[in-house]
Amino acid sequence: MHAIPALVSASDAYATARVVAFIADLWRQGRDNARISGMAVRAWAQAVRRNARVWRDLHPIVAQLAEHKKARTVVVAAEYEWAVLTTARDLVLWDAERYAEHVLPIAYALLRYVDTLSASSTALMIEAVRLCVEAGAADVRGAWAVAETAVARWGTQDTQVLRQAGLLMACVGRGGDGTEVYAAFRQRVLMDTVAPLGPDMDWVLAAFPADEITSLITETPTQAVVRASAELMAARMDHEVRFMRRTALRGRAGQAATTEPAPASWAQANAARCEWLTSALDSPVQRACEQVWGGSGPGFALAALVGSSNGGMAQAQVLVGGASLADHWTLRCAAADAWQMWFAADSDPAAALDALCAELRADHVPARTANVLYAVAGL
Protein backbone atom coordinates (compact mmCIF):
# COMPACT_ATOMS: atom_id res chain seq x y z
CA MET A 1 0.00 0.00 0.00
CA HIS A 2 3.01 2.33 -0.24
CA ALA A 3 3.36 2.07 -4.02
CA ILE A 4 -0.19 3.16 -4.89
CA PRO A 5 -0.15 6.52 -2.99
CA ALA A 6 3.22 7.28 -4.58
CA LEU A 7 1.37 7.77 -7.88
CA VAL A 8 -0.47 10.79 -6.43
CA SER A 9 0.86 14.15 -7.56
CA ALA A 10 -0.28 17.70 -7.00
CA SER A 11 0.37 18.43 -10.67
CA ASP A 12 -1.44 15.38 -12.08
CA ALA A 13 -5.15 15.56 -11.34
CA TYR A 14 -6.03 12.53 -13.48
CA ALA A 15 -3.61 10.14 -11.72
CA THR A 16 -4.68 11.49 -8.33
CA ALA A 17 -8.36 10.93 -9.06
CA ARG A 18 -7.73 7.36 -10.24
CA VAL A 19 -5.68 6.52 -7.14
CA VAL A 20 -8.27 8.02 -4.78
CA ALA A 21 -11.07 6.11 -6.52
CA PHE A 22 -9.12 2.87 -6.15
CA ILE A 23 -8.43 3.47 -2.43
CA ALA A 24 -12.07 4.43 -1.78
CA ASP A 25 -13.30 1.28 -3.50
CA LEU A 26 -10.85 -0.79 -1.45
CA TRP A 27 -12.14 0.87 1.75
CA ARG A 28 -15.77 0.10 0.87
CA GLN A 29 -15.00 -3.52 0.02
CA GLY A 30 -13.15 -3.98 3.30
CA ARG A 31 -15.90 -2.86 5.65
CA ASP A 32 -16.18 -6.39 6.95
CA ASN A 33 -12.42 -6.70 7.25
CA ALA A 34 -10.87 -4.21 9.68
CA ARG A 35 -7.35 -4.87 8.43
CA ILE A 36 -8.12 -4.06 4.81
CA SER A 37 -10.14 -0.98 5.77
CA GLY A 38 -7.32 0.20 7.99
CA MET A 39 -4.77 -0.29 5.20
CA ALA A 40 -6.98 1.71 2.86
CA VAL A 41 -7.18 4.59 5.35
CA ARG A 42 -3.42 4.59 5.83
CA ALA A 43 -2.90 4.63 2.05
CA TRP A 44 -5.39 7.50 1.88
CA ALA A 45 -3.26 9.39 4.43
CA GLN A 46 -0.16 9.00 2.30
CA ALA A 47 -2.11 10.32 -0.67
CA VAL A 48 -3.17 13.36 1.40
CA ARG A 49 0.45 13.98 2.25
CA ARG A 50 1.34 14.15 -1.45
CA ASN A 51 -1.73 16.16 -2.44
CA ALA A 52 -3.64 18.12 0.21
CA ARG A 53 -6.79 18.22 -1.91
CA VAL A 54 -7.34 14.53 -1.22
CA TRP A 55 -8.18 15.43 2.39
CA ARG A 56 -11.71 16.42 1.42
CA ASP A 57 -12.34 12.77 0.57
CA LEU A 58 -10.71 11.38 3.71
CA HIS A 59 -12.19 13.87 6.18
CA PRO A 60 -15.69 12.27 6.20
CA ILE A 61 -14.11 8.90 7.00
CA VAL A 62 -12.36 10.24 10.08
CA ALA A 63 -15.42 12.23 11.21
CA GLN A 64 -17.61 9.16 10.76
CA LEU A 65 -15.51 7.22 13.25
CA ALA A 66 -15.97 9.96 15.85
CA GLU A 67 -19.74 9.92 15.32
CA HIS A 68 -19.89 6.14 15.68
CA LYS A 69 -17.87 6.27 18.90
CA LYS A 70 -20.09 8.98 20.35
CA ALA A 71 -23.35 7.27 19.35
CA ARG A 72 -22.18 3.81 20.53
CA THR A 73 -24.53 2.29 17.97
CA VAL A 74 -21.83 0.81 15.75
CA VAL A 75 -19.10 -1.48 16.97
CA VAL A 76 -15.78 -0.26 15.62
CA ALA A 77 -12.93 -2.75 15.39
CA ALA A 78 -9.90 -1.74 17.40
CA GLU A 79 -7.54 -2.21 14.45
CA TYR A 80 -9.59 0.09 12.22
CA GLU A 81 -9.97 2.64 15.02
CA TRP A 82 -6.23 2.82 15.53
CA ALA A 83 -5.63 3.24 11.79
CA VAL A 84 -8.05 6.17 11.56
CA LEU A 85 -6.84 7.93 14.71
CA THR A 86 -3.20 7.40 13.77
CA THR A 87 -4.00 9.04 10.45
CA ALA A 88 -5.54 12.02 12.25
CA ARG A 89 -2.44 12.29 14.43
CA ASP A 90 -0.12 12.07 11.43
CA LEU A 91 -1.95 14.86 9.61
CA VAL A 92 -1.29 17.41 12.36
CA LEU A 93 2.23 16.05 12.67
CA TRP A 94 2.86 16.82 9.00
CA ASP A 95 1.06 20.18 8.82
CA ALA A 96 -0.73 21.29 11.97
CA GLU A 97 -1.71 24.71 10.62
CA ARG A 98 -3.57 23.17 7.68
CA TYR A 99 -5.34 20.29 9.39
CA ALA A 100 -5.81 21.48 12.99
CA GLU A 101 -9.21 23.04 12.31
CA HIS A 102 -10.47 19.66 11.10
CA VAL A 103 -8.71 17.31 13.48
CA LEU A 104 -9.12 19.24 16.74
CA PRO A 105 -12.95 19.04 16.88
CA ILE A 106 -12.73 15.29 16.34
CA ALA A 107 -10.08 14.89 19.04
CA TYR A 108 -12.00 17.10 21.48
CA ALA A 109 -15.21 15.17 20.92
CA LEU A 110 -13.54 11.80 21.49
CA LEU A 111 -11.68 12.91 24.62
CA ARG A 112 -14.60 14.70 26.21
CA TYR A 113 -17.62 12.58 25.37
CA VAL A 114 -16.39 9.02 24.69
CA ASP A 115 -15.58 7.41 28.03
CA THR A 116 -15.12 4.02 26.36
CA LEU A 117 -12.15 5.16 24.29
CA SER A 118 -9.23 2.78 24.66
CA ALA A 119 -5.95 3.82 26.23
CA SER A 120 -4.09 3.73 22.91
CA SER A 121 -6.72 5.84 21.19
CA THR A 122 -6.76 8.30 24.09
CA ALA A 123 -2.99 8.66 23.90
CA LEU A 124 -3.18 9.27 20.14
CA MET A 125 -5.78 12.02 20.54
CA ILE A 126 -3.86 13.73 23.37
CA GLU A 127 -0.76 13.62 21.19
CA ALA A 128 -2.67 15.18 18.29
CA VAL A 129 -3.88 17.97 20.57
CA ARG A 130 -0.36 18.55 21.90
CA LEU A 131 1.07 18.78 18.38
CA CYS A 132 -1.48 21.46 17.55
CA VAL A 133 -0.54 23.36 20.72
CA GLU A 134 3.17 23.18 19.95
CA ALA A 135 2.53 24.42 16.42
CA GLY A 136 0.53 27.36 17.74
CA ALA A 137 -2.70 26.14 16.14
CA ALA A 138 -4.52 25.63 19.46
CA ASP A 139 -4.69 27.36 22.82
CA VAL A 140 -3.05 25.38 25.58
CA ARG A 141 -5.70 26.24 28.16
CA GLY A 142 -8.55 24.96 26.02
CA ALA A 143 -6.55 21.90 25.04
CA TRP A 144 -5.81 21.02 28.67
CA ALA A 145 -9.43 21.59 29.71
CA VAL A 146 -10.45 18.84 27.27
CA ALA A 147 -7.53 16.50 27.88
CA GLU A 148 -7.91 16.80 31.65
CA THR A 149 -11.10 14.75 31.47
CA ALA A 150 -9.33 11.83 29.81
CA VAL A 151 -6.35 12.13 32.15
CA ALA A 152 -8.59 12.00 35.19
CA ARG A 153 -10.38 8.96 33.75
CA TRP A 154 -7.19 6.95 33.22
CA GLY A 155 -5.02 8.35 36.01
CA THR A 156 -1.79 6.40 36.23
CA GLN A 157 -3.22 3.13 34.89
CA ASP A 158 -1.71 3.41 31.41
CA THR A 159 1.81 4.59 30.64
CA GLN A 160 0.95 5.76 27.12
CA VAL A 161 -1.76 8.12 28.35
CA LEU A 162 0.45 9.28 31.20
CA ARG A 163 3.34 9.99 28.85
CA GLN A 164 1.26 12.04 26.41
CA ALA A 165 -0.48 13.86 29.25
CA GLY A 166 2.92 14.69 30.70
CA LEU A 167 4.07 16.17 27.40
CA LEU A 168 0.93 18.31 27.27
CA MET A 169 1.46 19.44 30.87
CA ALA A 170 5.01 20.37 29.90
CA CYS A 171 3.50 22.63 27.24
CA VAL A 172 1.44 24.24 29.98
CA GLY A 173 4.58 24.82 32.04
CA ARG A 174 6.58 26.29 29.16
CA GLY A 175 3.76 28.43 27.83
CA GLY A 176 2.45 31.66 29.16
CA ASP A 177 1.38 35.13 28.10
CA GLY A 178 2.66 36.90 31.19
CA THR A 179 -0.79 37.46 32.68
CA GLU A 180 -1.94 36.60 36.18
CA VAL A 181 -4.75 34.49 34.71
CA TYR A 182 -2.31 32.16 32.97
CA ALA A 183 -0.04 32.07 36.02
CA ALA A 184 -2.99 30.93 38.14
CA PHE A 185 -3.92 28.32 35.53
CA ARG A 186 -0.35 26.99 35.41
CA GLN A 187 -0.18 26.84 39.20
CA ARG A 188 -3.45 24.89 39.32
CA VAL A 189 -2.19 22.33 36.83
CA LEU A 190 1.08 22.05 38.74
CA MET A 191 -0.48 21.51 42.16
CA ASP A 192 -3.57 19.50 41.19
CA THR A 193 -2.19 17.22 38.48
CA VAL A 194 1.62 17.21 38.26
CA ALA A 195 2.49 17.19 41.96
CA PRO A 196 0.37 14.11 42.88
CA LEU A 197 2.08 12.04 40.17
CA GLY A 198 5.25 11.71 42.27
CA PRO A 199 8.94 11.43 41.40
CA ASP A 200 8.33 9.50 38.18
CA MET A 201 7.16 12.72 36.50
CA ASP A 202 10.16 14.88 37.38
CA TRP A 203 10.75 15.52 33.69
CA VAL A 204 7.39 17.35 33.63
CA LEU A 205 8.42 19.54 36.58
CA ALA A 206 11.47 20.63 34.59
CA ALA A 207 9.18 22.48 32.15
CA PHE A 208 7.69 24.67 34.89
CA PRO A 209 9.43 27.79 36.25
CA ALA A 210 12.02 26.90 38.88
CA ASP A 211 10.60 29.26 41.48
CA GLU A 212 7.22 27.52 41.24
CA ILE A 213 8.51 23.97 41.71
CA THR A 214 10.92 24.71 44.57
CA SER A 215 8.22 24.20 47.18
CA LEU A 216 7.45 20.73 45.76
CA ILE A 217 11.01 19.42 46.24
CA THR A 218 11.45 18.37 49.87
CA GLU A 219 14.44 16.04 49.63
CA THR A 220 17.93 16.83 50.75
CA PRO A 221 20.30 17.90 47.96
CA THR A 222 21.93 14.45 47.78
CA GLN A 223 18.58 12.68 47.48
CA ALA A 224 17.40 15.16 44.88
CA VAL A 225 20.48 14.61 42.73
CA VAL A 226 20.18 10.84 42.99
CA ARG A 227 16.54 10.58 42.06
CA ALA A 228 15.95 13.59 39.82
CA SER A 229 15.71 13.28 36.09
CA ALA A 230 18.30 14.88 33.86
CA GLU A 231 15.73 17.40 32.64
CA LEU A 232 14.87 18.54 36.17
CA MET A 233 18.50 18.82 37.24
CA ALA A 234 19.33 20.81 34.11
CA ALA A 235 16.41 23.17 34.73
CA ARG A 236 17.36 23.77 38.35
CA MET A 237 21.03 24.29 37.57
CA ASP A 238 20.14 26.70 34.78
CA HIS A 239 18.00 28.66 37.23
CA GLU A 240 20.87 28.72 39.73
CA VAL A 241 23.30 30.02 37.14
CA ARG A 242 20.91 32.68 35.89
CA PHE A 243 19.83 34.07 39.25
CA MET A 244 22.70 32.92 41.53
CA ARG A 245 20.23 32.13 44.30
CA ARG A 246 22.32 29.20 45.60
CA THR A 247 19.21 27.78 47.31
CA ALA A 248 17.80 25.00 45.16
CA LEU A 249 20.81 22.70 45.39
CA ARG A 250 21.75 23.73 48.92
CA GLY A 251 18.40 22.74 50.41
CA ARG A 252 16.01 24.76 52.51
CA ALA A 253 17.09 23.16 55.79
CA GLY A 254 20.74 23.90 55.19
CA GLN A 255 19.87 27.38 54.07
CA ALA A 256 17.92 28.12 57.25
CA ALA A 257 20.77 26.87 59.41
CA THR A 258 23.54 28.80 57.67
CA THR A 259 21.80 32.00 56.62
CA GLU A 260 23.61 35.11 57.83
CA PRO A 261 22.24 38.64 57.88
CA ALA A 262 23.17 40.51 54.72
CA PRO A 263 25.48 43.54 54.99
CA ALA A 264 23.72 46.86 55.33
CA SER A 265 25.34 48.16 52.16
CA TRP A 266 27.90 47.34 49.51
CA ALA A 267 30.38 49.74 51.09
CA GLN A 268 30.25 47.89 54.41
CA ALA A 269 30.68 44.53 52.71
CA ASN A 270 33.62 45.84 50.67
CA ALA A 271 35.24 47.34 53.77
CA ALA A 272 34.94 44.00 55.55
CA ARG A 273 36.59 42.19 52.63
CA CYS A 274 39.41 44.74 52.50
CA GLU A 275 40.01 44.42 56.23
CA TRP A 276 40.23 40.63 55.97
CA LEU A 277 42.60 40.85 52.98
CA THR A 278 44.83 43.35 54.79
CA SER A 279 45.03 41.17 57.88
CA ALA A 280 45.91 38.14 55.76
CA LEU A 281 48.61 39.85 53.70
CA ASP A 282 50.08 42.31 56.18
CA SER A 283 52.52 39.95 57.91
CA PRO A 284 53.98 38.30 54.76
CA VAL A 285 54.43 41.66 53.03
CA GLN A 286 56.01 43.19 56.14
CA ARG A 287 58.49 40.32 56.39
CA ALA A 288 59.39 40.69 52.73
CA CYS A 289 59.94 44.41 53.17
CA GLU A 290 62.21 43.85 56.18
CA GLN A 291 64.33 41.33 54.27
CA VAL A 292 64.85 43.53 51.19
CA TRP A 293 64.58 46.99 52.74
CA GLY A 294 68.01 48.02 51.53
CA GLY A 295 67.05 47.61 47.88
CA SER A 296 65.45 50.18 45.63
CA GLY A 297 64.02 48.06 42.83
CA PRO A 298 60.46 48.53 41.53
CA GLY A 299 59.32 45.16 42.88
CA PHE A 300 60.47 46.06 46.41
CA ALA A 301 58.93 49.51 46.20
CA LEU A 302 55.52 48.21 45.10
CA ALA A 303 55.55 45.54 47.82
CA ALA A 304 56.40 48.16 50.41
CA LEU A 305 53.67 50.44 49.09
CA VAL A 306 50.91 47.92 49.83
CA GLY A 307 52.49 46.90 53.13
CA SER A 308 52.35 48.55 56.54
CA SER A 309 53.11 52.27 56.62
CA ASN A 310 55.57 52.37 59.49
CA GLY A 311 58.69 53.53 57.67
CA GLY A 312 57.99 57.26 57.72
CA MET A 313 59.12 59.65 55.02
CA ALA A 314 62.43 57.87 54.52
CA GLN A 315 60.57 54.84 53.22
CA ALA A 316 58.26 57.09 51.21
CA GLN A 317 61.25 58.65 49.45
CA VAL A 318 62.47 55.16 48.50
CA LEU A 319 59.03 54.40 47.08
CA VAL A 320 58.98 57.57 45.05
CA GLY A 321 62.38 56.82 43.59
CA GLY A 322 62.12 53.06 43.12
CA ALA A 323 58.65 52.39 41.68
CA SER A 324 57.93 53.35 38.08
CA LEU A 325 54.21 53.68 38.68
CA ALA A 326 53.65 55.58 35.47
CA ASP A 327 54.80 52.62 33.36
CA HIS A 328 51.54 50.65 33.47
CA TRP A 329 47.92 51.77 33.46
CA THR A 330 46.93 49.36 36.26
CA LEU A 331 49.56 50.90 38.52
CA ARG A 332 48.50 54.38 37.54
CA CYS A 333 44.87 53.65 38.39
CA ALA A 334 45.71 52.19 41.81
CA ALA A 335 48.55 54.52 42.82
CA ALA A 336 46.47 57.28 44.39
CA ASP A 337 44.44 54.81 46.51
CA ALA A 338 47.64 53.03 47.56
CA TRP A 339 49.25 56.26 48.66
CA GLN A 340 46.07 57.23 50.48
CA MET A 341 46.30 54.02 52.52
CA TRP A 342 50.00 54.67 53.02
CA PHE A 343 49.43 58.08 54.59
CA ALA A 344 46.34 57.02 56.56
CA ALA A 345 48.48 56.31 59.63
CA ASP A 346 50.76 59.33 59.23
CA SER A 347 50.56 61.64 62.23
CA ASP A 348 51.91 64.71 60.42
CA PRO A 349 50.44 65.01 56.90
CA ALA A 350 51.66 68.61 56.61
CA ALA A 351 55.29 67.55 56.98
CA ALA A 352 54.74 64.77 54.45
CA LEU A 353 53.32 67.28 51.98
CA ASP A 354 56.30 69.62 52.43
CA ALA A 355 58.73 66.76 51.87
CA LEU A 356 56.94 65.67 48.72
CA CYS A 357 56.85 69.19 47.38
CA ALA A 358 60.60 69.46 47.98
CA GLU A 359 61.07 66.22 46.04
CA LEU A 360 58.95 67.61 43.22
CA ARG A 361 60.98 70.83 42.99
CA ALA A 362 64.32 69.02 43.05
CA ASP A 363 63.44 66.19 40.68
CA HIS A 364 63.84 66.26 36.91
CA VAL A 365 63.04 62.60 36.10
CA PRO A 366 59.52 62.13 34.62
CA ALA A 367 58.89 58.82 36.43
CA ARG A 368 59.78 60.31 39.83
CA THR A 369 57.70 63.40 39.08
CA ALA A 370 54.69 61.20 38.30
CA ASN A 371 55.22 59.23 41.49
CA VAL A 372 55.35 62.41 43.58
CA LEU A 373 52.12 63.62 41.98
CA TYR A 374 50.39 60.30 42.76
CA ALA A 375 51.69 60.55 46.36
CA VAL A 376 50.30 64.09 46.69
CA ALA A 377 46.96 62.82 45.33
CA GLY A 378 47.00 60.17 48.03
CA LEU A 379 47.28 62.88 50.67
Side-chain angles (χ1 to χ4, degrees):
M1 296 303 293
H2 293 282
I4 296 177
L7 300 175
V8 174
S9 175
S11 59
D12 191 343
Y14 177 76
T16 299
R18 298 290 294 177
V19 170
V20 171
F22 175 79
I23 295 175
D25 185 61
L26 182 65
W27 176 79
R28 284 190 293 268
Q29 293 179 4
R31 287 185 176 181
D32 296 332
N33 190 321
R35 175 167 297 183
I36 294 179
S37 298
M39 291 175 60
V41 171
R42 295 301 295 161
W44 225 327
Q46 294 298 324
V48 172
R49 189 175 186 180
R50 300 179 64 87
N51 189 341
R53 295 181 179 180
V54 180
W55 168 243
R56 61 187 179 186
D57 300 312
L58 179 60
H59 180 227
I61 306 300
V62 181
Q64 183 186 61
L65 173 71
E67 294 296 331
H68 289 169
K69 296 295 292 186
K70 288 172 59 179
R72 303 182 185 179
T73 56
V74 178
V75 178
V76 180
E79 190 172 357
Y80 176 72
E81 177 183 326
W82 294 337
V84 174
L85 297 185
T86 300
T87 298
R89 189 275 315 274
D90 288 345
L91 289 174
V92 294
L93 178 63
W94 297 332
D95 192 349
E97 295 183 358
R98 180 189 295 271
Y99 301 109
E101 61 178 337
H102 304 290
V103 174
L104 278 178
I106 297 173
Y108 285 168
L110 292 173
L111 292 174
R112 184 185 292 273
Y113 301 113
V114 182
D115 54 3
T116 59
L117 199 65
S118 65
S120 300
S121 299
T122 301
L124 283 172
M125 290 297 94
I126 295 177
E127 184 180 2
V129 172
R130 175 183 61 82
L131 291 172
C132 293
V133 170
E134 291 179 347
D139 180 67
V140 66
R141 283 174 286 189
W144 175 251
V146 175
E148 188 177 14
T149 304
V151 174
R153 182 167 61 247
W154 284 99
T156 58
Q157 300 177 17
D158 188 83
T159 56
Q160 297 181 20
V161 175
L162 190 61
R163 172 70 180 177
Q164 295 303 325
L167 292 173
L168 183 58
M169 288 184 282
C171 293
V172 174
R174 287 190 297 267
D177 51 10
T179 62
E180 295 183 0
V181 175
Y182 190 90
F185 160 72
R186 184 173 56 203
Q187 188 68 17
R188 181 180 66 82
V189 174
L190 177 63
M191 301 304 297
D192 296 347
T193 308
V194 180
L197 294 178
D200 293 337
M201 300 298 286
D202 275 351
W203 57 274
V204 179
L205 288 177
F208 286 78
D211 54 345
E212 295 183 7
I213 65 174
T214 302
S215 60
L216 301 178
I217 302 174
T218 59
E219 298 86 348
T220 63
T222 302
Q223 293 173 339
V225 171
V226 170
R227 78 157 181 87
S229 64
E231 294 87 350
L232 179 58
M233 286 302 303
R236 298 181 68 188
M237 293 175 68
D238 178 73
H239 184 264
E240 290 294 314
V241 171
R242 288 177 181 272
F243 299 98
M244 302 301 287
R245 294 283 299 276
R246 307 293 176 85
T247 56
L249 298 181
R250 183 184 299 174
R252 294 195 303 273
Q255 179 190 5
T258 60
T259 299
E260 298 178 358
S265 64
W266 178 88
Q268 294 181 4
N270 190 49
R273 287 191 293 268
C274 291
E275 182 179 356
W276 173 84
L277 184 61
T278 301
S279 63
L281 297 180
D282 187 67
S283 297
V285 171
Q286 181 63 25
R287 287 196 300 270
C289 291
E290 292 175 354
Q291 293 173 3
V292 296
W293 181 242
S296 60
F300 155 70
L302 292 176
L305 183 59
V306 299
S308 300
S309 57
N310 59 359
M313 284 309 302
Q315 189 176 356
Q317 291 175 357
V318 176
L319 294 174
V320 170
S324 300
L325 296 179
D327 291 344
H328 198 278
W329 69 270
T330 56
L331 299 178
R332 292 197 295 269
C333 291
D337 293 336
W339 277 111
Q340 184 178 7
M341 291 187 292
W342 174 268
F343 289 113
D346 199 304
S347 59
D348 192 359
L353 180 60
D354 293 339
L356 290 173
C357 290
E359 287 281 343
L360 183 60
R361 286 191 297 268
D363 186 64
H364 301 285
V365 180
R368 286 178 61 92
T369 302
N371 293 344
V372 172
L373 293 177
Y374 287 130
V376 173
L379 279 173

